[in-house]
Amino acid sequence: MTGSGIGSTWPIFTMATQCPDYNFSEIEPHWQRYWDEHKTWRAEDRSDLPKYYVLDMFPYPSGAGLHIGHPEGYTGTDILARYQRARGRNVLHPMGWDAFGLPTEQFAIQTGAHPRDTSRRNIDNFRRQIKSLGFYYDWDREVDTTDPAYFRWTQWIFLQLFKKGLAYVDERPVWWCEALGTVLANEEVIDGRSERGNHPVVRRSLRQWVLRITAYAEDLLNGLKDLDWPDSTKRMQEAWIGRSEGAEIRFDLESLPGQSLEVFTTRPDTLFGATYMVVAPEHPLVPRLTAGAQRAAVEAYVGKAAAKSDLERTDLAKDKSGVFTGSFALHPVTGSRLPVWVADYVLLSYGTGAIMAVPAHDQRDYDFALTFDLPVQQVIEPADHSGNGDAATLPFLGEGRLVHSDGYTGLDWAEAKARITADLEAAGKGRARVQYKLRDWLFSRQRYWGEPFPIVWVSESDFEAARALPEVAPLLPAEPVVYREKDIAWYALPLPDAALPLELPEVESYHPSGSGESPLARATDWLDIWFHPASGRSTPASGPRPEGSGWIRARRETNTMPQWAGSCWYYLRYLDPKNPAEPFSPEAEAYWQTPDLYVGGAEHAVLHLLYARFWHKVLHDLGVVRSPEPFRKLFHQGIILGEDGSKMSKSLGNVVNPDEIVKDYGADTLRLYLMFLGPLEAMKPWNPKGIEGVHRFLRKVWRDLLDPAGRPAAKLHDGPEDHPATERLFHETIKKVTEDIENLRFNTAISQMMVFANHLQKVDRLARATASGFVQLIAPFAPHFGEELWERLGGAPSVTTAPWPAYDPAKLVTDEVKVVFQVNGKVRGDGFLPREATEADAVAAARAHPRVAPHLDGKALRKTIYVPGRILNLVVSG
RNA sequence: GCCCCGGUGGCGGAAUGGUAGACGCAGCGGACUUAAAAUCCGCUGGCCGCAAGGCCGUGAGGGUUCGAGUCCCUCCCGGGGCACCA
């Protein structure tokens, strides 16, 4: 390259950089600028092309910056996006911020910094980091859950739920976390501690907003069937919904005429084996069931149970405890007296909070009966028993036939379930019932940094007056949402659309109030208002009542929504993110519909993914979206562990910072390495040495296709022809890379490209078209590198506009195929045979093979298995 | 306890029931270089053997099959989820 090039013949490229070597720190920012200026990544709203919508779970922009796990999934979707673009799709690949949430608020509490400022700073940093990795995101569609223009529609969706009667308030024992100063949902509590921060939690009764997700239990369960999701995730949701079929049975109470105890059981066939009853300590009938002599003992027990954390009640306390109430229930068929006990192994929150205990056929009841010396009556015997009775080991939990069950003895248990249930129903003593483990979704938090509820509380008379207004009536549910506080009833009124968004007030302190109310309770001018229900206008109650009619006194809801709210529908806002009049236009929804692929961590298997499905189904029922499910195809990327194989954490000092990798090796190398580590779904350790390998691969390709001055290598020629071996390998590579991308097997796609690169080093000439085609295959993985080489080899920028290479199946077939020779299943040699060689040809070749022949000598050929083009197995004996 | 998913060289991993270990890392030997880096070439599962070659080998044990990393059964280990849900 002596004296050539630089200065005299440069620039030869219009867009590419001028660097002779693979200088990624010059190339990458250059192409990032190019993409930004040309909006290469823009998804067109109106297009004749078929759409492809690929979605990442948007991140919570934490102060720590991007974690190395983020770009793992993002690179996977980015490859898909670029590939689908090359396949002629109009690709939507958006990014946004799930920016409400506790860490930002904790930071505000500690420092006084406004959460909005912290969020903005963190978002800017995340965006910078993500852009530095060259992702094909449509930045014109960025969404931010904390932006009033966004959460206006989160509030709007809440109001649709409210109107449909799917949102209600309830005073209920909830998980209260003292350290976080808030209530947590069941799903956010793990082993009696908060999922976030691992603080202890206790039960506490508070007024809460609750969403009636249980109304959709059946839909949510059935919908799973058609989803292309990991099986484990579907199973988790299935288990979480926890559908059981059984019966609700009514037991009259001896001491309370006219009162009865309802139980739920999945085993109505064991009705005749019920020997006692159990109610949960919190069951409302407990005080009345308690007989005088037992009162002290029952009250002590109930008090103790209330004080126990759930950790004690479940994990540590498998030993049964309980107290007899002193009263009896009457068996609905036999009329026999069954003692009613209080025990904390029965949960108020499931079923009816009471059970009929069948110790002979339930492990828990059996343990309890043993502890308290209660009778055990067998009513099911294994099907292979012919005797009537007691032979089986108790408790017997298996299938069988009924015994000791007047009128039903001898029946198969499944039939007995149906018969007994039907008979109870006819007698007015029970009915078939489906029960779910799924509980309604506790939807409020006593926090500042969340979406405010677009709800005000008013007196009964003001509510009645408002309800009569034509503007207000359509916004209300059939049943008013109401709660009582110190004998005063408060009625919920929604803000009309015109009053949205309801923004957060400025407050002096972000500390929770400690009383169970959020910091919003201290923003008095925001909180206590004069309210005009028809228009939604408001003014501080500290001021005078405004002129005109229809103004009432109101107090705003002080709770805020949980972080899940914003992420429940963000994938829909991307369709039309700037729409000021609707959450998204019907046209945008008609074209983009729902994501074709959703990629994100398995840690959201139940929470986010179940909540979002719930909201989507509600929107579907409202006619707002056409599909019944939001995420047809779901994929979980795995977790990247630290170098030492343990989870990355600051305290272990094994955290990998993407910024440093980009600085040292470039974004393309990082992307390639993340994909090369192993299967996308696998958990795999980071290996800093491994990154050298993929970096070398890029440099090797650069060196191979370009000369030392950075221009097309001398061995490139413009003819169509390559060596047949090169041609075949190239077409194999196109095939493999294409199929692997479609199946998200990026690691094997990369290894195939490495195989091809290794081959390129050995050839002395190469068609320029082959070189460019190879660069196209690399481009989705290493996009800056791809753009740079594409143009230097003569392609018009950008490579993203070039159609994906197609392979020619005819180029993959060879005249000769390798056949492996086995004798008795052991490999003894191989040989090349014509593709159409017969079994006889193959056997002849094997017999002639010097290393195979000795194993056949003097032995009788008993069987021949011939798989053309693969294997010949000769089974011999003697 | 119950339900999933895994277990393959020194390491990450690859293998429609058909040559186990592709590709990469690490290691060893060599070339280039005054030297180093970079790059290139070769070797690299274990055991026996001078070699040709043979035997063994995918957590353990059994089974199905002409043939098993792959399918079936039992067990061990690791990871994830659920956990008194009647």
Side-chain angles (χ1 to χ4, degrees):
Chain A
M1 61 175 279
T2 35
S4 75
I6 306 180
S8 52
T9 56
W10 297 99
I12 58 168
F13 313 122
T14 54
M15 288 301 166
T17 69
Q18 314 292 312
C19 54
D21 299 322
Y22 174 42
N23 184 353
F24 55 84
S25 43
E26 186 181 341
I27 293 168
E28 292 181 352
H30 171 83
W31 285 102
Q32 283 162 21
R33 259 194 316 278
Y34 176 94
W35 296 327
D36 266 353
E37 281 164 14
H38 293 77
K39 302 211 174 203
T40 305
W41 29 253
R42 181 165 53 204
E44 301 298 339
D45 274 320
R46 265 168 287 279
S47 168
D48 295 331
L49 298 176
K51 66 102 185 183
Y52 184 80
Y53 180 7
V54 55
L55 180 67
D56 297 289
M57 287 186 185
F58 66 168
Y60 174 74
S62 74
L66 210 62
H67 183 272
I68 198 73
H70 287 119
E72 188 197 7
Y74 301 166
T75 302
T77 55
D78 197 60
I79 292 166
L80 257 322
R82 290 173 181 274
Y83 165 75
Q84 293 291 357
R85 178 70 219 280
R87 297 296 301 256
R89 307 287 195 88
N90 182 25
V91 169
L92 172 55
H93 189 210
M95 180 46 70
W97 320 107
D98 189 16
F100 276 127
L102 282 176
T104 307
E105 182 153 347
Q106 289 298 104
F107 187 74
I109 290 170
Q110 284 155 19
T111 65
H114 197 294
R116 189 181 303 125
D117 300 331
T118 308
S119 286
R120 194 164 297 148
R121 211 169 36 247
N122 291 349
I123 286 172
D124 286 344
N125 189 43
F126 262 63
R127 191 191 302 103
R128 174 191 64 77
Q129 290 188 295
I130 288 175
K131 282 199 169 192
S132 79
L133 291 166
F135 293 128
Y136 189 100
Y137 285 123
D138 184 343
W139 290 106
D140 289 348
R141 291 174 186 261
E142 192 176 338
V143 302
D144 169 1
T145 54
T146 68
D147 180 352
Y150 178 89
F151 71 66
R152 172 197 197 310
W153 299 109
T154 310
Q155 292 172 333
W156 179 85
I157 295 171
F158 171 80
L159 290 176
Q160 309 311 306
L161 290 153
F162 175 79
K163 187 161 75 184
K164 279 187 68 126
L166 293 170
Y168 62 99
V169 290
D170 196 15
E171 180 93 19
R172 51 165 60 190
V174 292
W175 293 116
W176 171 260
C177 180
E178 195 58 50
L180 298 174
T182 186
V183 155
L184 300 171
N186 283 330
E187 304 86 290
E188 295 168 296
V189 175
I190 290 159
D191 291 342
R193 305 187 78 88
S194 63
E195 183 189 28
R196 182 158 279 163
N198 197 34
H199 304 295
V201 297
V202 294
R203 281 293 196 188
R204 181 166 168 182
S205 251
L206 280 178
R207 179 184 62 78
Q208 298 293 336
W209 280 97
V210 186
L211 297 187
R212 215 180 294 278
I213 190 171
T214 52
Y216 279 77
E218 197 66 36
D219 265 8
L220 289 167
L221 188 63
N222 289 334
L224 287 173
K225 292 188 188 80
D226 308 316
L227 299 180
D228 182 3
W229 282 22
D231 274 346
S232 57
T233 301
K234 288 210 237 183
R235 260 193 285 272
M236 269 195 249
Q237 291 216 350
E238 227 173 86
W240 193 262
I241 295 166
R243 183 183 197 275
S244 322
E245 284 182 14
E248 194 172 278
I249 303 177
R250 230 181 57 225
F251 288 71
D252 289 334
L253 291 166
E254 187 186 54
S255 56
L256 297 170
Q259 294 267 0
S260 58
L261 196 55
E262 306 262 325
V263 303
F264 172 73
T265 178
T266 54
R267 296 293 305 275
D269 54 310
T270 62
L271 179 61
F272 292 82
T275 55
Y276 63 100
M277 313 287 292
V278 184
V279 296
E282 305 87 351
H283 195 283
L285 279 179
V286 168
R288 276 183 288 165
L289 280 167
T290 306
Q294 295 298 105
R295 187 154 304 274
V298 170
E299 279 173 3
Y301 183 79
V302 169
K304 224 168 72 192
K308 274 189 197 176
S309 73
D310 265 32
L311 184 67
E312 293 167 303
R313 276 182 68 163
T314 58
D315 279 26
L316 302 179
K318 297 284 183 189
D319 291 337
K320 298 286 178 289
S321 66
V323 179
F324 178 44
T325 60
S327 49
F328 293 84
L330 302 172
H331 193 282
V333 180
T334 66
S336 59
R337 299 170 79 226
L338 305 173
V340 179
W341 287 64
V342 180
D344 64 6
Y345 82 92
V346 170
L347 310 173
L348 183 68
S349 50
Y350 183 77
T352 61
I355 62 158
M356 64 175 202
V358 185
H361 305 290
D362 182 283
Q363 186 67 52
R364 296 152 300 181
D365 297 345
Y366 185 80
D367 296 343
F368 190 82
L370 228 54
T371 307
F372 295 101
D373 205 20
L374 291 157
V376 177
Q377 172 62 57
Q378 184 181 353
V379 289
I380 306 282
E381 66 170 12
D384 55 9
H385 274 242
S386 46
N388 222 14
D390 351 274
T393 332
L394 297 181
F396 172 63
L397 311 175
E399 313 187 352
R401 258 196 320 260
L402 270 69
V403 292
H404 301 313
S405 300
D406 263 354
Y408 303 94
T409 293
L411 285 182
D412 178 74
W413 73 330
E415 197 190 342
K417 273 186 198 189
R419 288 266 293 273
I420 292 177
T421 305
D423 292 350
L424 285 170
E425 185 148 14
K429 300 213 175 226
R431 61 188 177 89
R433 173 167 160 181
V434 174
Q435 177 68 38
Y436 301 92
K437 280 193 221 174
L438 183 68
R439 314 286 153 89
D440 276 341
W441 174 13
L442 193 93
F443 192 66
S444 40
R445 300 292 183 274
Q446 292 62 53
R447 283 281 164 167
Y448 177 78
W449 195 227
E451 298 88 346
F453 282 80
I455 292 284
V456 299
W457 294 102
V458 301
S459 73
E460 180 169 7
S461 54
D462 286 341
F463 176 79
E464 291 303 338
R467 170 145 79 166
L469 299 170
E471 298 92 333
V472 176
L475 310 177
L476 294 172
E479 286 292 315
V481 170
V482 61
Y483 80 97
R484 258 162 221 293
E485 191 180 53
K486 299 184 200 104
D487 290 332
I488 302 170
W490 292 95
Y491 283 73
L493 271 185
L495 300 191
D497 274 7
L500 300 184
L502 172 62
E503 298 198 35
L504 286 163
E506 299 303 319
V507 293
E508 275 163 33
S509 159
Y510 303 100
H511 278 279
S513 68
S515 63
E517 285 203 281
S518 81
L520 299 183
R522 283 195 287 248
T524 45
D525 275 359
W526 176 88
L527 181 71
D528 293 306
I529 50 170
W530 292 107
F531 180 61
H532 192 260
S535 66
R537 276 177 293 155
S538 65
T539 166
S542 54
R545 176 189 177 122
E547 299 292 317
S549 65
W551 288 90
I552 56 178
R553 272 299 298 268
R555 186 174 201 264
R556 292 196 194 274
E557 172 62 61
T558 58
N559 284 313
T560 53
M561 298 185 198
Q563 197 181 350
W564 310 111
S567 59
C568 266
W569 74 285
Y570 73 110
Y571 59 95
L572 293 170
R573 185 62 175 172
Y574 284 137
L575 310 185
D576 191 11
K578 305 227 163 77
N579 194 327
E582 302 161 293
F584 46 87
S585 72
E587 297 75 39
E589 197 273 335
Y591 179 68
W592 292 111
Q593 302 194 29
T594 54
D596 296 86
L597 175 68
Y598 192 24
V599 175
E603 66 273 18
H604 295 112
V606 272
L607 308 181
H608 159 61
L609 288 168
L610 192 66
Y611 296 151
R613 290 182 62 220
F614 166 45
W615 278 33
H616 193 90
K617 285 181 178 301
V618 173
L619 294 175
H620 177 69
D621 288 349
L622 287 167
V624 178
V625 292
R626 66 201 54 221
S627 56
E629 288 283 343
F631 311 122
R632 225 198 75 265
K633 184 177 165 82
L634 172 72
F635 190 91
H636 296 309
Q637 87 274 16
I639 295 173
I640 297 179
L641 304 170
E643 233 178 289
D644 51 0
S646 54
K647 207 167 168 174
M648 279 193 196
S649 78
K650 240 185 243 168
S651 56
L652 289 172
N654 58 357
V655 175
V656 176
N657 180 350
D659 284 346
E660 285 172 23
I661 308 293
V662 169
K663 184 169 149 283
D664 294 345
Y665 295 95
D668 285 333
T669 295
L670 173 58
R671 294 168 55 117
L672 216 43
Y673 179 59
L674 285 169
M675 295 300 99
F676 189 61
L677 262 178
L680 190 60
E681 68 274 21
M683 188 181 275
K684 55 231 155 187
W686 180 265
N687 173 7
K689 283 281 174 44
I691 213 169
E692 302 274 0
V694 289
H695 189 64
R696 259 174 243 165
F697 163 71
L698 289 179
R699 289 211 315 227
K700 190 187 286 187
V701 173
W702 180 282
R703 252 195 340 264
D704 232 44
L705 300 183
L706 300 177
D707 68 14
R711 284 172 299 196
K715 72 180 175 187
L716 296 183
H717 64 86
D718 285 318
E721 79 285 1
D722 278 314
H723 294 290
T726 302
E727 204 159 60
R728 187 168 66 248
L729 186 60
F730 180 52
H731 284 261
E732 275 169 9
T733 301
I734 296 174
K735 181 171 191 283
K736 176 90 175 131
V737 170
T738 303
E739 289 171 356
D740 281 352
I741 288 176
E742 300 229 358
N743 293 305
L744 285 80
R745 290 195 304 247
F746 304 117
N747 55 329
T748 49
I750 293 167
S751 73
Q752 180 65 35
M753 292 191 283
M754 287 173 166
V755 170
F756 188 69
N758 290 342
H759 174 81
L760 282 192
Q761 280 188 326
K762 299 187 177 77
V763 300
D764 51 359
R765 47 190 268 116
L766 184 70
R768 197 191 281 249
T770 305
S772 288
F774 181 46
V775 166
Q776 279 185 275
L777 299 183
I778 299 174
F781 297 82
H784 316 82
F785 181 89
E787 294 280 21
E788 185 73 22
L789 259 77
W790 173 256
E791 203 202 335
R792 289 193 188 212
L793 294 176
S798 135
V799 68
T800 59
T801 62
W804 190 251
Y807 69 89
D808 179 357
K811 295 255 164 48
L812 299 179
V813 296
T814 49
D815 296 337
E816 294 222 303
V817 289
K818 190 195 225 174
V819 173
V820 171
F821 302 136
Q822 294 186 345
V823 178
N824 287 345
K826 279 189 195 294
V827 176
R828 296 300 179 183
D830 55 44
F832 282 90
L833 300 176
R835 194 149 36 84
E836 60 279 1
T838 63
E839 179 171 313
D841 298 338
V843 173
R847 283 194 185 284
H849 194 287
R851 291 218 301 277
V852 178
H855 295 279
L856 301 172
D857 257 6
K859 297 186 179 159
L861 184 60
R862 308 192 64 98
K863 194 171 178 182
T864 305
I865 291 101
Y866 177 52
V867 182
R870 285 212 170 269
I871 204 156
L872 173 73
N873 189 10
L874 301 172
V875 184
V876 298
S877 64

